Amino acid sequence: MHLSPYDAEHFPEIREGVRRLCAEFPGEYWRELDAKREYPTAFVKALTDAGYLSVLIPEEYGGSGLGLSAAVAILETIQAEGCNGGACHAQMYTMGTILRHGSEEQKRAYLPKIATGELRLQAFGVTEPTSGTDTTALRTVAVREPAPSKDGGDDYVVNGQKIWTSRAEHSDLMLLLARTTPRDRAAKKTDGLSTFIVDMKAALADGSLTIRPIRTMMNHATTEIFFDNMRIPAANLLGEEGKGFRYILSGMNAERVLIAAECVGDAKWFTKKSADYANERHVFGRAIGQNQGIAFPIARAYANMRAAELMVHEAARLYEAGQPNGAEANMAKMLAADASSEAGNVCIQTHGGFGFAEEYDVERKFRETRLYQVAPISTNLILSFLAEHVLGLPRSY
């Protein structure tokens, strides 16, 4: 069953390569990891070695230099094949802040090693327990002080806490957003925030950074992080001090498009799983898919997936053309997350009791895709954005 013409029309060679790679990591692999709450190290290494995680890094820095649509094809296919790109998708796009706003020295120091996997930049230190989505209210502070070494230069001393920092235990570097000017002294609340590259191994070694895993129903690699007088060389400041909020925002549309692509892939997996089972499962002498009560929800899930897929590709097209795509990126993420959640519900209902059995992989994939109703931005905040910025309605927060 062909779930979408885009499979054949958009990067078919890449999609086929990803399918072959994913075939080496079947459901048993993911079930075993899920039971042990372990990280898919072998899967991430295979993606890295094949060059799929460096697809957005320019060739001059060791990557493939392809556009966002290629990354969409990769992540969508990973999910459609039953694997979990969420374990490493940040390696694809977090480096974009360095690419867009870093100095040439920083780009050459980090991007080639990120491309080969020698360095992992997967940790994104933004969200805090008391601020949530209100990023401008974060309390982690970075104060510039003279470095204690004889080499001279300055350091930033960081104190504070981050939460929901996924993959921190499996990352060498962190992209950190901290306040360098107190909020009450900044001209605007979005001013005074700065972005840094953190050498996590060095900070862990000297005890100034602490990582604590958070047990969750999915995304078993998420953590909370504590900074205790952690020193960052001033050379690790990205761009200009105080403009970090803008730097972080500049990459969020790409992130939302890629998360949306993953949700489309999940919806494809669920829909195929549902249709296959509805054809194979016989009750009262006939396939259950012959019953409209079974067939219609699957068909609707397929239609919603296709609609979301079209929006994902439109958002990616605008991004690659250098045109504003904030509304499209947000709508793509919302519609795709809704489509995957619906397809997951339909898949469980189609399988009946077997939908809750681990061996069918439905319950695992359902838990994974449910995350994207909340992360990286909740559906309600997307609706608020559209209401205010697209429809001209009064700001609600």
Side-chain angles (χ1 to χ4, degrees):
M1 179 177 64
H2 298 288
L3 287 180
S4 170
Y6 276 96
D7 286 3
E9 295 175 5
H10 289 73
F11 303 98
E13 297 87 358
I14 288 178
R15 290 177 184 273
E16 183 54 34
V18 174
R19 288 190 188 99
R20 288 196 301 269
L21 186 153
C22 289
E24 300 176 12
F25 299 91
E28 293 85 351
Y29 171 81
W30 296 99
R31 288 195 294 273
E32 182 177 347
L33 289 174
D34 195 50
K36 297 178 180 179
R37 309 179 78 87
E38 291 182 353
Y39 186 73
T41 302
F43 177 68
V44 175
K45 184 179 186 305
L47 287 173
T48 302
D49 293 345
Y52 292 127
L53 297 186
S54 61
V55 67
L56 295 176
I57 296 177
E59 290 183 277
E60 64 183 298
Y61 302 115
S64 303
L66 298 178
L68 192 66
S69 293
V72 164
I74 291 168
L75 289 175
E76 180 200 297
T77 305
I78 287 172
Q79 302 302 114
E81 294 301 308
C83 298
N84 184 11
C88 52
H89 56 202
Q91 183 79 359
M92 297 182 75
Y93 57 75
T94 304
M95 61 81 208
T97 304
I98 298 177
L99 181 63
R100 288 185 295 272
H101 306 291
S103 66
E104 187 61 29
E105 182 180 4
Q106 289 171 332
K107 293 175 188 178
R108 297 206 175 276
Y110 295 110
L111 293 180
K113 292 180 180 180
I114 293 172
T116 62
E118 182 180 347
L119 286 178
R120 294 283 183 207
L121 173 56
Q122 303 197 100
F124 198 26
V126 176
T127 305
E128 297 184 2
T130 58
S131 63
T133 309
D134 185 7
T135 303
T136 61
L138 62 81
R139 298 179 180 178
T140 296
V141 297
V143 179
R144 189 160 184 159
E145 296 181 357
S149 69
K150 297 179 181 179
D151 298 333
D154 288 348
D155 286 345
Y156 285 88
V157 180
V158 180
N159 285 282
Q161 178 186 1
K162 298 293 179 180
I163 199 168
W164 309 123
T165 307
S166 298
R167 299 162 297 273
E169 295 176 292
H170 309 282
S171 190
D172 302 298
L173 306 172
M174 175 195 298
L175 195 66
L176 173 67
L177 187 66
R179 184 161 286 285
T180 46
T181 300
R183 189 177 183 181
D184 59 1
R185 287 167 47 193
K188 295 188 296 184
K189 66 179 182 179
T190 55
D191 291 342
L193 296 168
S194 300
T195 309
F196 302 90
I197 304 169
V198 178
D199 182 339
M200 297 182 67
K201 288 188 174 180
L204 285 167
D206 66 25
S208 61
L209 184 150
T210 302
I211 301 175
R212 294 181 185 171
I214 302 173
R215 289 183 64 87
T216 57
M217 66 183 287
M218 84 292 279
N219 188 19
H220 300 320
T222 198
T223 68
E224 59 181 337
I225 296 179
F226 299 86
F227 310 103
D228 183 13
N229 291 322
M230 182 181 73
R231 302 189 79 92
I232 305 174
N236 286 27
L237 172 71
L238 277 171
E240 296 182 46
E241 182 180 294
K243 296 186 177 180
F245 184 76
R246 298 175 184 84
Y247 300 158
I248 294 294
L249 280 182
S250 69
M252 285 186 173
N253 287 338
E255 177 191 31
R256 287 167 192 176
V257 173
L258 294 177
I259 295 295
E262 290 186 304
C263 290
V264 168
D266 282 340
K268 290 184 178 182
W269 187 90
F270 284 125
T271 304
K272 185 177 187 305
K273 193 86 168 175
S274 296
D276 288 349
Y277 188 78
N279 276 317
E280 296 165 2
R281 174 70 166 164
H282 284 68
V283 178
F284 299 117
R286 66 181 189 176
I288 63 171
Q290 191 172 345
N291 301 309
Q292 293 179 345
I294 298 293
F296 283 7
I298 299 173
R300 183 175 292 278
Y302 171 79
N304 288 337
M305 177 277 293
R306 286 288 290 121
E309 183 180 41
L310 291 170
M311 181 57 76
V312 171
H313 284 274
E314 173 64 5
R317 182 191 69 79
L318 291 171
Y319 184 90
E320 291 175 335
Q323 299 178 24
N325 80 328
E328 288 78 10
N330 277 284
M331 287 188 288
K333 190 271 177 184
M334 181 185 72
L335 295 173
D338 287 348
S340 63
S341 290
E342 180 199 4
N345 273 320
V346 170
C347 195
I348 290 175
Q349 202 69 20
T350 301
H351 282 74
F354 290 113
F356 300 94
E358 290 182 356
E359 65 182 288
Y360 283 77
D361 292 313
V362 176
E363 59 87 28
R364 171 180 61 84
K365 290 286 286 183
F366 180 77
R367 285 185 284 114
E368 290 171 0
T369 210
R370 180 60 179 83
L371 172 65
Y372 298 122
Q373 289 287 331
V374 175
I377 183 173
S378 73
T379 298
N380 283 345
L381 281 171
I382 290 176
L383 292 172
S384 294
F385 173 87
L386 294 173
E388 178 184 355
H389 295 285
V390 177
L391 301 176
L393 296 172
R395 184 181 177 91
S396 61
Y397 61 91

